[in-house]
């Protein structure tokens, strides 16, 4: 594993697109999946793990009940992986983890939480081709047959349950797959999921045993505002990544948030006063 701390936007771009050149294709095609975290100390624990004690025993109950109560609003599918993807996408605690093919989308999640601007962030970059080299033969042959680098749910359909997936290999394996394009959020975030063949093994624990498969880019908190402003100018924001009124409101709330002192991560008092005056004038103009 390599870990790099950047100090400028240009250095960050160079790190994110490192190893993107693919000689066999004569194209820039990065083999990395990206995940941005607002705090570099955060682990890659799944939402299932965050349920606390005995979470592994709850996994089957959660998914079974989700299917029972969601069948009226979810497009019918016989694919277990489809149901698992829908459940993850709508916030059910699962062993899946959200990733993106887009380094810019990953940077959005590094800088989306204003209250984390006093903490350094991180972008995890995982080489899914190298991860998939550790899969059992039947899965690597599936990728080869399809000429693919990551899985789709159709390619995984022969595996009909997580219990079956867990039994494929020992020690546990990890893989990346693309969810179905069920809505604009999935599409706009250029999303993919990771899954490990054990509910109790986090992806960062698996990666520590395979250090050639990943790298981390540390982003100092003082750089976050520059990244945020440049992403907004590139139209990488909540309004686009979370289509709908909720995303629009989140984008506007952050857009009009007062400037934060990069040293303390707290709103600059003078700018805060200016912002309050703008809001006051806005209400007066509406009246």
């Amino acid at each position: 594993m390599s870990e790099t701390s950047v100090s400028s936007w240009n250095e960050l771009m160079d790190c994110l697109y490192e190893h993107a050149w693919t000689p066999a294709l004569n194209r820039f095609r990065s083999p990395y999946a990206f995940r941005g975290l607002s705090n570099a100390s955060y682990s890659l624990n799944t939402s299932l793990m965050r349920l606390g004690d005995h979470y592994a025993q709850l996994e089957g109950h959660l998914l079974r009940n989700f299917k029972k109560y969601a069948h009226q609003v979810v497009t019918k599918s016989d694919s277990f992986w489809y149901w698992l993807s829908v459940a993850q996408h709508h916030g059910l605690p699962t062993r899946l983890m959200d990733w993106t093919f887009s380094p810019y989308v990953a940077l959005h999640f590094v800088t989306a939480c204003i209250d984390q601007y006093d903490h350094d962030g991180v972008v995890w970059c995982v080489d899914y081709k190298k991860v998939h080299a550790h899969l059992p033969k039947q899965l690597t042959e599936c990728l080869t047959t399809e000429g693919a680098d990551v899985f789709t749910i159709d390619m995984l359909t022969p595996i009909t349950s997580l219990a079956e997936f867990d039994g494929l290999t020992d020690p546990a394996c990890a893989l990346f797959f693309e969810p179905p394009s069920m809505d604009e959020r999935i599409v706009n975030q250029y999303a993919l999921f990771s899954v490990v063949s054990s509910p109790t093994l986090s992806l960062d624990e698996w990666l520590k045993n395979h250090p050639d498969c990943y790298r981390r880019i540390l982003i100092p908190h003082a750089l976050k505002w520059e990244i945020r402003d440049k992403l907004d100018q590139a139209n990488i924001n909540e309004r686009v990544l979370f289509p709908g009124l909720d995303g629009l409101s989140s984008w506007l709330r952050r857009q009009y948030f007062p400037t934060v002192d990069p040293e303390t991560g707290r709103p600059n008092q003078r700018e805060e006063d200016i912002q309050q005056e703008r809001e006051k004038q806005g209400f007066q103009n509406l009246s």
Side-chain angles (χ1 to χ4, degrees), residues 113-130:
C113 297
I114 301 297
D115 61 356
Q116 291 288 321
Y117 272 41
D118 56 343
H119 291 90
D120 296 343
V122 65
V123 175
W124 287 77
C125 313
V126 177
D127 189 325
Y128 45 78
K129 291 184 179 180
K130 291 184 177 179

Side-chain angles (χ1 to χ4, degrees), residues 125-174:
C125 313
V126 177
D127 189 325
Y128 45 78
K129 291 184 179 180
K130 291 184 177 179
V131 170
H132 291 163
H134 296 278
L135 290 171
K137 184 178 179 180
Q138 69 187 83
L139 289 175
T140 57
E141 287 181 345
C142 177
L143 287 173
T144 301
T145 300
E146 295 288 339
D149 294 322
V150 297
F151 293 89
T152 64
I153 61 170
D154 288 339
M155 294 163 65
L156 293 173
T157 295
I159 303 171
T160 59
S161 68
L162 285 173
E164 183 178 346
F165 178 55
D166 293 350
L168 289 179
T169 183
D170 185 22
C173 61

Side-chain angles (χ1 to χ4, degrees), residues 73-245:
V73 293
V74 176
T75 302
K76 183 175 175 58
S77 174
D78 294 328
S79 171
F80 162 78
W81 296 95
Y82 178 84
W83 279 101
L84 187 61
S85 298
V86 174
Q88 168 71 13
H89 184 56
H90 288 281
L92 188 77
T94 77
R95 72 167 77 175
L96 301 186
M97 179 164 287
D98 296 290
W99 295 77
T100 177
F101 288 108
S102 168
Y104 276 24
V105 172
L107 289 177
H108 168 81
F109 288 103
V110 173
T111 58
C113 297
I114 301 297
D115 61 356
Q116 291 288 321
Y117 272 41
D118 56 343
H119 291 90
D120 296 343
V122 65
V123 175
W124 287 77
C125 313
V126 177
D127 189 325
Y128 45 78
K129 291 184 179 180
K130 291 184 177 179
V131 170
H132 291 163
H134 296 278
L135 290 171
K137 184 178 179 180
Q138 69 187 83
L139 289 175
T140 57
E141 287 181 345
C142 177
L143 287 173
T144 301
T145 300
E146 295 288 339
D149 294 322
V150 297
F151 293 89
T152 64
I153 61 170
D154 288 339
M155 294 163 65
L156 293 173
T157 295
I159 303 171
T160 59
S161 68
L162 285 173
E164 183 178 346
F165 178 55
D166 293 350
L168 289 179
T169 183
D170 185 22
C173 61
L175 63 78
F176 287 82
F177 71 96
E178 294 183 76
S181 299
M182 61 188 82
D183 62 20
E184 289 183 280
R185 181 153 57 100
I186 287 284
V187 175
N188 292 1
Q189 292 181 16
Y190 209 174
L192 72 164
F193 294 145
S194 66
V195 60
V196 178
S197 62
S198 168
T200 59
L201 182 65
S202 66
L203 185 59
D204 50 357
E205 291 175 318
W206 188 92
L207 289 169
K208 286 176 183 177
N209 293 322
H210 304 85
D212 64 319
C213 291
Y214 76 107
R215 53 196 177 91
R216 282 167 36 107
I217 302 173
L218 298 178
I219 298 172
H221 63 272
L223 192 58
K224 283 188 174 181
W225 270 115
E226 179 182 353
I227 293 170
R228 184 64 263 164
D229 287 342
K230 289 180 175 178
L231 289 178
D232 283 334
Q233 187 173 8
N235 204 28
I236 306 295
N237 52 51
E238 297 87 346
R239 182 174 58 86
V240 174
L241 300 179
F242 299 90
L245 296 181

Side-chain angles (χ1 to χ4, degrees), residues 29-49:
R29 296 290 175 84
S30 174
Y32 287 98
F34 301 95
R35 181 173 172 85
L37 298 175
S38 60
N39 192 315
S41 67
Y42 291 165
S43 65
L44 297 181
N45 285 344
T46 64
S47 55
L48 180 68
M49 290 175 171

